[in-house]
């Protein structure tokens, strides 16, 4: 790589000259030193002024090499991880080296083979760059901070190329997705606006359940799921969409779950941060997952709204808030895994391990060995820790983490990179696991097998008959005994087929 001038801007965790970064680059053309005139093909144009975009500065090091600076989260210079930008005006076969020089974290999955995402206008499907073209190292030219460099060859002059830290999932995409679901007029899917963000974006709350469970006076077992409190953790949205897609489907398991449970889902807790291209913070620079203890209705309005709803449900004698799961993505670990809480009551602590153990049986990418239970002081303001202390012994609160990069299947050592579909598959498996937890498997066969038909109808349709879409599961013994209280509402019969993953 080319040697930099001693006066070139430097980056580091103390920000250095990054104080000059106040926003995203906007159609910024990089011209060679001393060049005058109109840009030519090969004079790259960088842009990040679009939804969820992030690139704060570009310095040309040589004809082929560029230093790229991540724009810090709005109102908080500490967090610099997410990037998402476009490059255009390229020449065919033009080769470049891009250096991301100001990450705020030193540990990274780039050490383990992770690579940036890329797509172009003629190839709109995101794909990972070859790991052999990506380097992560301490750089003496940037105060020995870690730099991620990747080599790339532009091959189509008319294309606009886009690079990102991980698969983007924007606020607008999310709204279009919910709009499409709402237009289907499903009587078991309800969408409401729980509140608004500081910039007046919607805080959507979804309720997925049989309408009978919402009638006045009905007892409810509630599973509450949240996502994207950290806006740069885009895998959270794909996992959440997998959960939603499965629960609203006509799969027999989904139909049984809707009959017995009420799913409350707030898929995007930080819509402003998502829209702005932040990694961890809200518009005002707050890490919302550290403010559950006392969220402000004006500074943390989305968090405040969700907390008020949860407390309201907790105080309703007809409502049993049984699960809270907050979905995140992890920047240094492989697989999916969970964080849980530590309790003085040993029996409660052991019961808390049941759900992640069941999920491990259903999802090949979920690691129970990476799952941990803690009460770290630094996590005191998180949803998992706060609600774990607020709710009673029949409620279980988890953080579900999924790797930004890959998973390792048990018994192997090869890393399998996550795709958008693989993230959504994990979401489907999370939903599926509630069937095992509540021992509802025997009911699936009743849903899957058609109702008895008249004999002449059977004769007429005999050739058209298909087997039930769900194989009758194997019998398994009871997983645990529930304590007295709200937990007594749960079924005591259990069937399980650990081989049936979706």
């Amino acid at each position: 790589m080319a040697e930099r001038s001693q006066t070139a801007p430097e980056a580091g965790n103390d920000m250095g000259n990054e104080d000059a970064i106040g926003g995203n680059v906007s159609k910024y053309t990089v011209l060679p030193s001393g060049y005058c005139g109109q840009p030519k093909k090969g004079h790259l144009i960088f842009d990040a002024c679009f939804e969820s975009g992030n690139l704060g500065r570009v310095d040309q090091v040589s004809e082929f090499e560029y230093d790229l600076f991540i724009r810090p989260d709005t109102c908080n210079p500490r967090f610099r991880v997410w990037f998402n930008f476009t490059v255009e005006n390229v020449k065919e076969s033009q080769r470049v080296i891009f250096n991301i020089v100001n990450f705020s974290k030193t540990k990274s999955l780039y050490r383990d083979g992770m690579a940036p995402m890329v797509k172009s206008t003629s190839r709109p499907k995101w794909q990972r760059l070859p790991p052999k073209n990506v380097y992560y190292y301490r750089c003496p030219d940037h105060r020995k901070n870690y730099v991620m460099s990747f080599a790339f060859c532009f091959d189509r002059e008319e294309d606009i190329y886009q690079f990102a830290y991980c698969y983007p999932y924007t606020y607008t995409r999310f709204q279009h997705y919910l709009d499409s679901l709402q237009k289907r007029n499903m009587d078991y899917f309800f969408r409401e606006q729980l509140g608004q963000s500081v910039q007046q974006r919607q805080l959507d709350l979804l309720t997925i359940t049989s309408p009978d469970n919402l009638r006045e006076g009905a007892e409810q077992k509630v599973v509450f799921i949240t996502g994207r409190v950290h806006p740069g953790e885009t895998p959270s949205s794909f996992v959440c969409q997998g959960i939603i897609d499965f629960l609203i489907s006509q799969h027999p398991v989904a139909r049984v779950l809707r009959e017995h449970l009420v799913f409350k889902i707030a898929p995007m807790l930080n819509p402003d941060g998502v829209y702005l291209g932040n990694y961890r913070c809200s518009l005002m620079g707050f890490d919302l997952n550290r403010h559950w203890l006392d969220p402000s209705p004006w500074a943390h309005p989305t968090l405040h709204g969700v907390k008020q709803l949860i407390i309201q449900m907790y105080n309703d004698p007809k409502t049993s808030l049984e699960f809270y799961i907050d979905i995140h993505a992890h920047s240094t670990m492989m697989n999916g895994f969970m964080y849980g809480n530590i309790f003085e009551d040993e029996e409660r602590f052991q019961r808390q391990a049941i759900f992640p153990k069941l999920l491990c049986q259903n999802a090949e990418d979920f690691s129970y060995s990476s799952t941990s239970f803690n009460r770290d002081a630094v996590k005191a303001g998180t949803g998992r820790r706060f609600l774990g202390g607020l709710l009673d012994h029949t409620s279980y609160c988890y953080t579900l983490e999924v790797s930004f990069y890959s998973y390792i299947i048990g018994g192997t050592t090869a890393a399998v990179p996550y795709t958008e579909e693989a993230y959504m598959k994990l979401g489907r498996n999370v939903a599926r696991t509630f069937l095992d937890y509540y021992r509802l498997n025997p009911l699936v066969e009743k849903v899957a097998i058609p109702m008895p038909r008249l004999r002449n109808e059977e004769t007429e349709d005999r050739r058209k008959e298909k087997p039930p879409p769900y194989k009758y599961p194997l019998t398994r013994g009871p997983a645990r005994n529930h304590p007295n209280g709200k937990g007594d509402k749960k079924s005591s019969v259990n069937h399980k087929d650990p081989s049936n993953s979706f």
Side-chain angles (χ1 to χ4, degrees):
M1 297 182 185
E3 181 177 345
R4 292 165 180 77
S5 164
Q6 294 301 309
T7 60
E10 294 181 338
N13 288 338
D14 60 355
M15 291 302 294
N17 290 333
E18 286 179 71
D19 292 326
I21 301 176
N24 287 326
V25 295
S26 177
K27 298 293 183 181
Y28 176 69
T29 305
V30 180
L31 300 174
S33 178
Y35 178 84
C36 296
Q38 292 296 314
K40 297 180 179 179
K41 276 289 184 182
H43 292 165
L44 302 184
I45 300 175
F46 292 82
D47 186 50
C49 278
F50 52 85
E51 185 176 1
S52 295
N54 187 310
L55 183 65
R57 197 172 85 202
V58 180
D59 292 345
Q60 186 171 25
V61 179
S62 72
E63 181 182 358
F64 307 103
E65 189 175 355
Y66 302 80
D67 283 350
L68 309 181
F69 293 76
I70 297 170
R71 172 189 53 77
D73 282 7
T74 54
C75 303
N76 194 326
R78 290 179 52 209
F79 299 106
R80 305 179 304 280
V81 176
W82 173 259
F83 58 86
N84 182 15
F85 61 91
T86 63
V87 181
E88 57 186 293
N89 199 43
V90 306
K91 281 197 303 187
E92 186 175 346
S93 301
Q94 182 176 359
R95 297 177 183 273
V96 296
I97 296 174
F98 290 152
N99 309 310
I100 309 288
V101 301
N102 67 331
F103 283 112
S104 55
K105 286 188 172 184
T106 56
K107 294 181 179 179
S108 173
L109 285 166
Y110 289 124
R111 299 175 303 179
D112 302 308
M114 187 169 108
M117 312 301 303
V118 63
K119 70 173 184 177
S120 70
T121 45
S122 66
R123 289 153 295 186
K125 184 178 176 62
W126 286 103
Q127 55 185 296
R128 293 188 186 274
L129 292 173
K132 66 180 181 179
N133 293 353
V134 181
Y135 308 88
Y136 189 70
Y137 57 98
R138 280 189 182 274
C139 181
D141 295 313
H142 291 285
R143 300 181 182 178
K144 296 184 179 180
N145 289 312
Y146 278 90
V147 169
M148 187 272 290
S149 298
F150 61 95
F152 190 77
C153 180
F154 298 107
D155 58 351
R156 300 183 184 178
E157 289 194 357
E158 301 308 315
D159 271 14
I160 298 175
Y161 293 78
Q162 186 171 351
F163 300 90
Y165 180 78
C166 191
Y167 302 98
Y169 196 113
T170 65
Y171 172 78
T172 297
R173 171 177 175 169
F174 171 59
Q175 290 299 312
H176 288 164
Y177 168 65
L178 294 188
D179 290 344
S180 69
L181 297 184
Q182 203 165 6
K183 289 176 182 177
R184 292 165 60 179
N185 293 319
M186 298 170 284
D187 66 353
Y188 47 79
F189 173 84
F190 308 88
R191 176 189 183 187
E192 60 185 295
Q193 183 175 314
L194 187 58
Q196 288 185 318
S197 66
V198 173
Q199 290 188 316
Q200 304 301 298
R201 295 188 178 90
Q202 286 188 196
L203 170 62
D204 287 285
L205 176 70
L206 311 181
T207 302
I208 302 174
T209 190
S210 166
D212 290 341
N213 294 328
L214 300 180
R215 70 183 188 276
E216 187 175 355
E219 293 187 347
Q220 298 182 356
K221 293 181 180 179
V222 176
V223 175
F224 207 109
I225 298 171
T226 57
R228 288 301 281 280
V229 69
H230 292 151
E233 296 176 5
T234 57
S236 164
S237 285
F238 292 104
V239 174
C240 211
Q241 181 173 328
I243 293 173
I244 296 167
D245 285 343
F246 183 76
L247 290 176
I248 64 172
S249 73
Q250 290 305 310
H251 195 288
V253 171
R255 293 163 65 185
V256 168
L257 290 175
R258 293 197 299 266
E259 290 296 321
H260 290 81
L261 299 171
V262 177
F263 291 89
K264 297 279 187 180
I265 305 176
M268 194 170 282
L269 287 184
N270 193 347
D272 288 349
V274 170
Y275 188 90
L276 294 167
N278 286 354
Y279 174 66
R280 196 173 181 91
C281 295
S282 66
L283 164 73
M284 298 174 68
F286 293 110
D287 179 348
L288 296 182
N289 205 35
R290 296 297 183 270
H291 288 273
W292 276 89
L293 291 173
D294 188 24
S296 161
W298 66 271
H300 327 110
T302 56
L303 202 63
H304 181 267
V306 170
K307 179 181 175 181
Q308 292 300 110
L309 175 62
I310 290 176
I311 292 175
Q312 176 185 333
M313 289 191 298
Y314 176 67
N315 291 328
D316 183 350
K318 294 287 187 179
T319 301
S320 174
L321 182 53
E322 310 218 330
F323 280 90
Y324 172 76
I325 300 177
D326 189 25
I327 307 175
H328 289 254
H330 208 283
S331 63
T332 63
M333 293 183 67
M334 305 283 199
N335 294 79
F337 59 95
M338 279 181 153
Y339 291 124
N341 296 314
I342 291 178
F343 303 105
E344 299 298 333
D345 182 349
E346 179 64 22
E347 183 185 3
R348 183 183 183 189
F349 177 70
Q350 294 298 329
R351 291 198 309 268
Q352 184 186 212
I354 293 174
F355 187 86
K357 286 180 178 178
L358 292 173
L359 179 55
C360 188
Q361 295 179 39
N362 286 330
E364 65 178 4
D365 57 321
F366 185 86
S367 170
Y368 183 74
S369 62
S370 296
T371 294
S372 64
F373 305 91
N374 63 66
R375 60 171 70 175
D376 297 345
V378 71
K379 306 286 188 180
T382 65
R384 167 180 63 89
R385 283 289 307 280
F386 170 75
L387 294 175
L390 170 72
L391 305 178
D392 63 25
H393 65 278
T394 67
S395 304
Y396 300 101
C397 301
Y398 304 93
T399 300
L400 172 61
E401 297 273 3
V402 61
S403 175
F404 272 110
Y405 171 39
S406 68
Y407 58 95
I408 298 175
I409 299 174
T412 70
T413 57
V416 180
Y418 272 106
T419 62
E420 294 181 18
E421 169 57 28
Y423 286 129
M424 288 191 276
K425 181 180 178 181
L426 176 59
R428 296 194 295 271
N429 284 323
V430 169
R432 163 70 172 82
T433 301
F434 288 105
L435 185 85
D436 303 324
Y437 182 85
Y438 286 103
R439 304 156 179 167
L440 298 172
N441 304 67
L443 302 178
V444 172
E445 186 189 46
K446 297 178 182 179
V447 173
I449 296 177
M451 294 293 291
R453 307 179 63 167
L454 296 176
R455 184 166 298 176
N456 61 341
E457 291 178 322
E458 293 177 348
T459 303
E460 181 180 341
D461 295 344
R462 191 179 302 277
R463 294 180 182 179
K464 300 180 182 179
E465 287 181 0
K466 296 181 180 180
Y470 183 81
K471 185 178 179 181
Y472 189 80
L474 302 175
T475 303
R476 184 168 73 85
R480 67 176 175 97
N481 294 319
H482 294 284
N484 293 329
K486 295 179 181 177
D488 291 338
K489 302 174 187 175
K490 302 168 188 174
S491 171
S492 60
V493 183
N494 183 39
H495 287 255
K496 172 88 172 102
D497 181 4
S499 65
N500 191 4
S501 291
F502 305 111

